[in-house]
Amino acid sequence: MSDSEGEEESNSEVEAEAERDGAENRSPLRRGWRWLREHSTHALLVAVAAAVVGGVVPVLLTGALQDWLSPPPPAPATCPGAGCDGKDPQKEGCSADAVTWLPTADNPVSLQVRRSKRCGVVWGRITNAEVGDVVTVRVEGGSARSAVIEYGKDQYTPMVSVGETFRVTACAEPTISASRTGSWSKYCIVATDATAWK
């Protein structure tokens, strides 16, 4: 074989190999694989970043949403115990965590007793009465408070301090006004520290 023949054969092999490489490079799968090899570091970083953001953002949003939707804890009582006696439960912040005793049977004006254990107090309230009706709360062995509806249908008494154990009577008395529309008589309820407060 002459040198020129050997050279031609060698050139044809190189051309054939180049053709095979060109065909492989034209394959979509081959091109995708080559691109992935060349850009694997970037792809990996993007995947890790997406996983971190996908995992952390919902947790942060959930925490922020819970903080935003949750009611703030009640402020400390400004007048605990006897210091609250005769004061307004709303103005002193005692109504924020108050529980209620509201008997529903034969309760003509939705008379209730409200209690704030944090403040160490109770108070009476009526919510379906009329102008001139009176609500009173009296603690056995303690003090009593009352309030008159001046407008609207509801009213509550000032607070009365109580100890860990207590017995309290709340009463609703109808107005004696000639414009009275209700047909009920004085109505009272009794509550203690063991009452099923709600």
Side-chain angles (χ1 to χ4, degrees):
M1 179 191 298
S2 68
D3 285 343
S4 61
E5 286 176 354
E7 198 172 305
E8 284 175 18
E9 190 177 322
S10 172
N11 284 343
S12 63
E13 284 176 6
V14 168
E15 287 170 11
E17 191 175 326
E19 266 183 42
R20 282 195 304 273
D21 284 349
E24 287 175 354
N25 286 339
R26 286 192 296 272
S27 161
L29 185 60
R30 189 70 141 168
R31 283 195 311 270
W33 183 248
R34 179 169 284 158
W35 182 91
L36 189 59
R37 271 197 327 234
E38 291 171 1
H39 298 89
S40 61
T41 303
H42 295 95
L44 180 61
L45 289 174
V46 169
V48 168
V52 168
V53 169
V56 170
V57 168
V59 170
L60 292 175
L61 287 177
T62 301
L65 191 59
Q66 284 176 343
D67 289 346
W68 185 66
L69 292 176
S70 299
T78 57
C79 61
C84 290
D85 203 77
K87 294 185 178 179
D88 186 309
Q90 289 187 0
K91 290 180 180 174
E92 300 300 328
C94 297
S95 61
D97 66 333
V99 290
T100 303
W101 168 239
L102 172 61
T104 53
D106 302 320
N107 191 338
V109 289
S110 296
L111 173 65
Q112 55 192 259
V113 179
R114 304 207 72 208
R115 176 190 186 194
S116 170
K117 196 169 185 179
R118 180 173 54 92
C119 292
V121 295
V122 295
W123 62 95
R125 183 181 179 200
I126 47 179
T127 62
N128 191 24
E130 56 188 285
V131 173
D133 290 350
V134 179
V135 57
T136 303
V137 63
R138 179 181 308 278
V139 175
E140 193 173 281
S143 57
R145 300 288 173 182
S146 63
V148 178
I149 294 184
E150 295 177 2
Y151 56 88
K153 293 186 173 186
D154 58 65
Q155 183 61 277
Y156 56 90
T157 69
M159 296 181 284
V160 179
S161 61
V162 293
E164 287 295 314
T165 59
F166 61 87
R167 180 181 175 88
V168 58
T169 302
C171 295
E173 294 184 60
T175 178
I176 55 171
S177 167
S179 62
R180 176 184 177 202
T181 59
S183 59
W184 54 280
S185 301
K186 182 177 178 180
Y187 174 78
C188 297
I189 58 175
V190 175
T192 71
D193 52 285
T195 293
W197 301 93
K198 293 182 182 177

